[in-house]
Amino acid sequence: GQLGMMQTKPSYKNTIPGDMATLSPLEPAGLDDNSACDEDDFEHFERVQRQVHVARKMKFLTLMAALGGFLFGYDTGVVSGAMLPLRRTFQLSPEQQEVVVSSTVLAAFLSSLSLAPYLNEYRGRRQAVLVAAAVFGVGSVALGFATSYGSLVLGRLLVGVGIGVASVTTPVYLAEVAVPSVRGRLVTINTLLITAGQFVAGMVDGLFDELAPESGWRWMLGLAAVPSVIMFWGFGSIYQNLLGIS
């Protein structure tokens, strides 16, 4: 009897409280729960960081894309104030004045039907915006340094091509890359900036007409190169690095 009692191993399982009796010595109590909590907190932190990063992206995208609408409004509005000094400088006839004004609209119409669809289909939205900004910038510089009626019309035609491509591409681009919650807002801002461009054009016309009545038209038309350069820079370098969109 005593030998049997000595050979029987005592069991301490019932003396261990709770479910700790089922744990392995290598699995401390509560470690898995703490790890799960840490992982949840880390995932939440990453999710918040991504949301903040996306919000910054969308602000940058809105600014760059809205420049396309601004350029459209600026160029359609600035020529009204520049036409009087242009007529005096180049001795323009009424027919020539009509060509100077309407050439941009015609070029924008034709490029929106031909060049813009081709660039968007085969080169992508970003490349189309870059082309629009580059052509618009070259046209604005050409207008600022125009020396004849022919060079004036050429600059207006180039500006019209840039307007046509940008007016087709930027709203579509915004709608594609924006998150659904802000998509309508961004497209509306692009349209709003067209009106803002027309307003700024009127202010610029009035300012340079007072400061330089005879040569101020060069500044009126040439200053459009500034937002086009900013737009090209944004979409060409920083835009791709920040947004990862090609």
Side-chain angles (χ1 to χ4, degrees):
Q2 294 181 353
L3 182 60
M5 294 177 61
M6 293 178 61
Q7 292 178 349
T8 302
K9 296 181 179 180
S11 176
Y12 300 99
K13 183 175 181 179
N14 295 332
T15 64
I16 301 177
D19 296 333
M20 294 183 63
T22 61
L23 294 177
S24 168
L26 299 179
E27 298 177 349
L31 182 60
D32 290 341
D33 294 338
N34 292 334
S35 299
C37 292
D38 292 341
E39 290 179 0
D40 291 341
D41 292 341
F42 182 75
E43 290 177 359
H44 177 71
F45 176 76
E46 281 192 330
R47 185 164 56 251
V48 172
Q49 288 294 100
R50 284 196 299 268
Q51 291 174 353
V52 173
H53 189 52
V54 167
R56 291 176 180 174
K57 291 180 189 180
M58 298 314 302
K59 290 180 181 178
F60 182 81
L61 171 63
T62 302
L63 176 62
M64 292 297 105
L67 287 177
F70 179 85
L71 289 173
F72 179 83
Y74 182 88
D75 188 76
T76 55
V78 74
V79 70
S80 61
M83 185 50 62
L84 291 177
L86 283 173
R87 183 180 62 184
R88 294 193 298 265
T89 301
F90 297 108
Q91 301 297 316
L92 299 178
S93 66
E95 291 77 14
Q96 290 175 328
Q97 295 179 52
E98 293 175 359
V99 171
V100 170
V101 174
S102 60
S103 57
T104 295
V105 180
L106 177 63
F109 173 72
L110 295 178
S111 64
S112 65
L113 294 178
S114 56
L115 182 60
Y118 170 79
L119 291 174
N120 281 273
E121 180 69 22
Y122 297 103
R123 298 296 180 182
R125 310 281 189 259
R126 177 172 167 271
Q127 294 296 328
V129 173
L130 292 176
V131 170
V135 174
F136 197 101
V138 172
S140 299
V141 172
L143 287 172
F145 290 95
T147 57
S148 64
Y149 167 71
S151 60
L152 190 64
V153 174
L154 176 61
R156 293 287 292 171
L157 288 172
L158 289 174
V159 167
V161 172
I163 289 176
V165 176
S167 62
V168 171
T169 306
T170 51
V172 178
Y173 206 175
L174 281 171
E176 287 181 342
V177 302
V179 294
S181 60
V182 298
R183 185 173 298 156
R185 188 186 313 166
L186 296 188
V187 176
T188 302
I189 290 176
N190 179 71
T191 306
L192 178 64
L193 263 292
I194 296 177
T195 307
Q198 293 173 338
F199 173 78
V200 172
M203 297 297 101
V204 171
D205 286 344
L207 175 64
F208 284 102
D209 188 61
E210 291 290 333
L211 296 178
E214 297 302 323
S215 61
W217 62 268
R218 296 187 182 276
W219 291 98
M220 299 175 192
L221 301 177
L223 280 177
V226 175
S228 63
V229 169
I230 296 175
M231 187 177 179
F232 186 90
W233 165 76
F235 274 88
S237 58
I238 293 183
Y239 178 82
Q240 187 178 19
N241 293 334
L242 289 180
L243 303 185
I245 300 172
S246 59

